[in-house]
Amino acid sequence: MKSLFGEEIKDPGKVFTASEFIQPFKKAEIPTTSEDLLASVAIVICVYNRPDVTRPCLRSFHDRTSKKVRFVIVDDASDSYTANMLASEAERMQKDGRQVTIKTNKVNCKYTHSVNNGIVEAFRDTTVGWAVTINSDTLATPG
């Protein structure tokens, strides 16, 4: 049996703890300054359609977070209108110096599977020490 990453699973019945699950991905240094902390944060946003609430969500977090914060957007097999909006927003954010990754599911996997994949994607970057998950209708407020 193989993992999502193509590695052979020796004991497919084993239940992993959270620390065992994340261990293979990184050994992050504990940030010592606020700038280092911000540079180690990834925001994971799972999206299934609803561009009417997703665009304001992306824009509010773009406008109210440090440029050092990374974004991982998981498109859970949305319609083409939503997929195009996500690509457009990601391009807009990247032009502003943001690191944005869009992961697209071929079929709708539902929230739990999608958010787990987003967290795994966030921790592929060895500088990420913190992953924050938010719903696609969440708005960042000032302050």
Side-chain angles (χ1 to χ4, degrees), residues 8-137:
E8 195 64 36
I9 298 175
K10 295 180 179 138
D11 183 4
K14 178 175 168 68
V15 176
F16 290 91
T17 65
S19 62
E20 288 174 310
F21 178 73
I22 294 189
Q23 191 68 26
F25 296 103
K26 60 186 284 21
K27 294 193 190 273
E29 296 290 323
I30 296 174
T32 56
T33 68
S34 60
E35 284 300 307
D36 289 343
L37 176 62
L38 290 172
S40 70
V41 172
I43 297 176
V44 178
I45 307 168
C46 295
V47 177
Y48 179 66
N49 295 324
R50 300 293 314 271
D52 57 317
V53 296
T54 303
R55 185 184 314 265
C57 168
L58 294 172
R59 290 192 175 183
S60 74
F61 278 89
H62 170 262
D63 294 345
R64 292 183 176 90
T65 58
S66 165
K67 286 190 177 191
K68 295 180 178 262
V69 172
R70 294 161 181 77
F71 290 85
V72 176
I73 302 167
V74 181
D75 178 0
D76 200 10
S78 296
D79 59 35
S80 61
Y81 180 80
T82 302
N84 289 335
M85 181 276 299
L86 292 174
S88 172
E89 288 300 311
E91 182 179 340
R92 178 180 161 277
M93 293 165 78
Q94 289 166 338
K95 284 181 180 175
D96 192 37
R98 297 305 189 104
Q99 293 182 355
V100 182
T101 302
I102 298 178
K103 298 285 290 180
T104 304
N105 295 337
K106 293 182 194 257
V107 297
N108 184 273
C109 299
K110 307 296 183 203
Y111 182 80
T112 302
H113 182 85
S114 295
V115 80
N116 286 339
N117 284 342
I119 291 167
V120 167
E121 181 63 30
F123 283 119
R124 284 185 188 278
D125 181 337
T126 59
T127 64
V128 171
W130 308 89
V132 178
T133 61
I134 62 169
N135 293 328
S136 61
D137 62 351

